[in-house]
């Protein structure tokens, strides 16, 4: 249960005080994703406010995506969603470090393979030519958050397989040897196969997001990759530079 703090003189309106306390409890780890937060009645008693004030605080936090209400059960801290920006390509290790967490990569495969029709078409190479292939699991604080299966054009990045991907991500290496001039993203919600489920630690009925990414450097296709994310933990975002800066409620999401 959220405990009230004594308001300072001239403090903001009561509903803001309630919001700030709940947010502080989440930030400090007192409330974790999935935990039930205080009910309106409990907030009324703890903060000495009206039910309308308590309701407003909870409603605004639900609108902002911080809380989620289950009818007849209660109000809970929403699962944390990590954003994947479709309008730019960033190094996953940098994203994790910016969240104050530790990145680690487990290299499952790093080998040469003959390009099948799909890979040859994606890399704009001849069918059957040897290409470089890697399968890497990226972890955040030792929890798997992305499986990256990548195919690389050996004419553009001949030393790809010599790279230590535990200390340098494929993205970091490839952008150094072949700066990106264009890219393509195709997103699908898919039911992962046994291998992807195992590496992401997903249950049989859990979906995942799959991002197909292809990058160019000049006229040459450098790489194509399949990036798998746990579907319940990620959301995809894209916004034009002239779009609104204030987040809005997402249509179709229960408040």
């Amino acid at each position: 249960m959220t405990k009230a703090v004594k308001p300072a003189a001239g403090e903001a309106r009561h509903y803001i005080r309630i919001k700030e306390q709940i947010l502080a409890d989440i930030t400090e780890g007192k409330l974790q994703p999935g935990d039930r937060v205080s009910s309106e009645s409990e907030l009324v008693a703890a903060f000495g406010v009206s039910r309308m004030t308590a309701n407003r605080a909870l409603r605004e936090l639900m609108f902002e995506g911080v809380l989620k209400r289950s009818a007849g059960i209660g109000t809970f801290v929403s699962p944390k969603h990590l954003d994947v920006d479709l309008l730019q390509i960033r190094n996953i290790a940098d994203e994790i470090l910016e969240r104050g967490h530790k990145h680690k990569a487990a290299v499952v495969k790093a080998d040469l393979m003959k390009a099948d029709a799909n890979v040859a078409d994606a890399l704009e190479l001849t069918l059957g030519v040897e290409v470089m292939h890697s399968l890497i699991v990226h972890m955040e604080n030792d929890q798997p958050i992305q499986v990256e299966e990548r195919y690389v054009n050996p004419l553009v990045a001949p030393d790809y397989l010599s790279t230590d991907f535990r200390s340098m991500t494929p993205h970091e290496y490839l952008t150094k040897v072949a700066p990106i001039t264009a890219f393509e993203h195709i997103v699908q919600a898919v039911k992962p196969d046994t291998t992807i489920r195992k590496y992401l630690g997903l249950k049989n009925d859990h979906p995942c997001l799959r991002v197909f990414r292809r990058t160019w450097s000049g006229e040459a296709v450098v790489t194509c990759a399949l990036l798998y994310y746990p579907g319940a933990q990620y959301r995809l975002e894209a916004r034009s530079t002239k779009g609104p800066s204030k987040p809005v409620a997402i249509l179709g999401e229960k408040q």
Side-chain angles (χ1 to χ4, degrees):
M1 176 177 171
T2 299
K3 295 182 179 179
V5 292
K6 185 177 180 180
E11 189 178 8
R13 287 171 291 182
H14 295 310
Y15 82 91
I16 294 179
R17 183 160 53 94
I18 296 173
K19 286 179 63 178
E20 289 176 344
Q21 187 61 50
I22 293 173
L23 289 170
D25 287 346
I26 294 172
T27 301
E28 294 168 9
K30 297 176 183 177
L31 287 173
Q32 298 289 331
D35 285 352
R36 189 183 75 84
V37 301
S38 300
S39 66
E40 288 181 13
S41 298
E42 290 168 335
L43 291 173
V44 167
F47 287 86
V49 297
S50 68
R51 181 175 289 273
M52 183 180 297
T53 297
N55 177 269
R56 179 174 181 179
L58 294 177
R59 275 192 298 108
E60 289 201 3
L61 288 172
M62 285 188 286
F63 183 82
E64 293 164 10
V66 176
L67 302 180
K68 186 175 183 179
R69 175 169 289 170
S70 295
I73 301 176
T75 304
F76 301 85
V77 179
S78 296
K80 186 174 181 180
H81 287 89
L82 304 175
D83 296 333
V84 179
D85 192 337
L86 296 179
L87 296 183
Q88 63 176 326
I89 297 179
R90 299 194 60 208
N91 184 13
I92 189 170
D94 292 340
E95 293 180 357
I96 291 172
L97 289 173
E98 287 175 6
R99 293 194 285 267
H101 296 162
K102 179 183 177 182
H103 170 262
K104 185 167 71 174
V107 181
V108 180
K109 290 182 181 179
D111 53 13
L112 288 170
M113 61 170 287
K114 292 187 181 298
D116 62 19
N118 290 334
V119 172
D121 184 56
L123 293 178
E124 298 179 0
L125 296 173
T126 305
L127 177 66
V129 70
E130 279 196 332
V131 298
M132 298 175 181
H133 168 251
S134 60
L135 182 64
I136 298 172
V137 181
H138 294 281
M139 288 169 276
E140 181 169 351
N141 288 350
D142 294 322
Q143 294 298 314
I145 63 166
Q146 184 198 85
V147 174
E148 170 193 335
E149 183 161 29
R150 185 178 293 275
Y151 304 89
V152 177
N153 185 341
L155 301 176
V156 180
D159 297 325
Y160 178 75
L161 293 179
S162 301
T163 306
D164 182 0
F165 295 123
R166 294 169 299 179
S167 59
M168 176 182 287
T169 65
H171 168 80
E172 188 177 357
Y173 166 76
L174 290 170
T175 53
K176 285 184 177 180
V177 300
I180 297 172
T181 57
F183 66 89
E184 173 185 41
H185 279 150
I186 300 174
V187 183
Q188 289 179 291
V190 299
K191 184 177 180 180
D193 62 23
T194 303
T195 300
I196 299 300
R197 278 204 310 270
K198 179 180 75 172
Y199 290 135
L200 287 178
L202 298 177
K203 295 181 180 179
N204 289 345
D205 58 343
H206 284 194
C208 71
L209 291 175
R210 184 178 69 190
V211 178
F212 171 77
R213 174 181 294 166
R214 193 158 56 137
T215 63
W216 284 259
S217 186
E219 297 298 317
V221 179
V222 177
T223 181
C224 62
L226 292 170
L227 310 174
Y228 296 88
Y229 301 88
Q233 298 177 27
Y234 272 82
R235 66 182 182 188
L236 304 176
E237 290 193 346
R239 179 182 296 167
S240 71
T241 55
K242 294 185 179 180
S245 58
K246 181 180 178 181
V248 297
I250 300 173
L251 296 178
E253 283 194 351
K254 294 182 179 179
Q255 300 298 317

